[in-house]
Amino acid sequence: MRTYDFAPLYRSTVGFDRLATMLDRALSAEVTPNSYPPYNIEKSGDDKYRITVAVAGFTEDEISVEMRDGQLVISAKKAETETDENINYLHRGIAARAFEKRFQLADHVRATGAESENGLLHVDLVREVPEALKPRRIEIANPAKTIEAKPSKKKVLEA
């Protein structure tokens, strides 16, 4: 496995430490990431996203959706029931094991809601860039026009 040294990035940039840490985490992750449960990431507009996770077999009370440290964390744990102890499965193909999925979110992306429908969990996300960070047009002053607008001393003396 390759290792990358991000020291030059830290030496020559300011404020990109979060990006370097995220790259380091992504490169040091498992070679074969955990694919359970399956999920989709959809983009429905310039600033709208949706994450859909297959959560068949879990109730809404057994699923947790949280935002922490710039990440969306979706986890689920099946509650143990007394009837499970008395059942002898001949084949158990429906996975109901606990899971935790983490999604790294960009700056200014936040979850607006989540809903569970037909065994799928939909989490809606939106990017809201603050007004202070949006581009704005700055007028360029023309010194010649400001001089013409002011009455000159010469004209005042003549009058």
Side-chain angles (χ1 to χ4, degrees):
M1 183 172 155
R2 289 185 174 167
T3 58
Y4 295 96
D5 182 20
F6 291 108
L9 180 65
Y10 288 122
R11 283 195 307 257
S12 61
T13 60
V14 176
F16 290 96
D17 50 332
R18 183 172 170 210
L19 175 65
T21 304
M22 187 172 39
L23 285 171
D24 191 34
R25 227 183 280 147
L27 292 173
S28 65
E30 300 174 20
V31 176
T32 55
N34 183 5
S35 62
Y36 176 77
Y39 63 92
N40 294 335
I41 301 175
E42 308 161 20
K43 184 173 183 177
S44 59
D46 287 341
D47 295 324
K48 292 183 181 181
Y49 304 89
R50 175 177 263 195
I51 296 175
T52 302
V53 181
V55 292
F58 290 98
T59 65
E60 291 177 11
D61 295 334
E62 297 168 334
I63 301 170
S64 170
V65 180
E66 297 178 356
M67 296 262 309
R68 60 177 121 126
D69 299 327
Q71 293 183 337
L72 177 71
V73 181
I74 301 173
S75 59
K77 184 174 181 178
K78 195 71 177 155
E80 291 294 324
T81 60
E82 295 175 15
T83 58
D84 285 349
E85 296 173 4
N86 299 330
I87 296 175
N88 185 18
Y89 289 98
L90 299 178
H91 172 74
R92 190 167 189 174
I94 300 173
R97 62 183 184 260
F99 70 86
E100 180 176 276
K101 278 284 190 198
R102 294 176 177 267
F103 299 93
Q104 187 70 41
L105 301 179
D107 292 336
H108 313 297
V109 174
R110 65 177 187 85
T112 58
E115 63 180 356
S116 179
E117 173 185 29
N118 298 328
L120 298 174
L121 174 70
H122 303 287
V123 181
D124 293 317
L125 304 161
V126 66
R127 179 188 347 214
E128 294 177 342
V129 180
E131 288 295 323
L133 297 179
K134 289 183 180 177
R136 59 188 168 108
R137 183 152 177 92
I138 299 171
E139 293 295 323
I140 300 172
N142 186 342
K145 288 184 180 179
T146 55
I147 291 173
E148 291 174 10
K150 294 180 182 178
S152 68
K153 293 180 183 178
K154 189 175 185 181
K155 291 182 181 178
V156 173
L157 293 175
E158 291 177 0

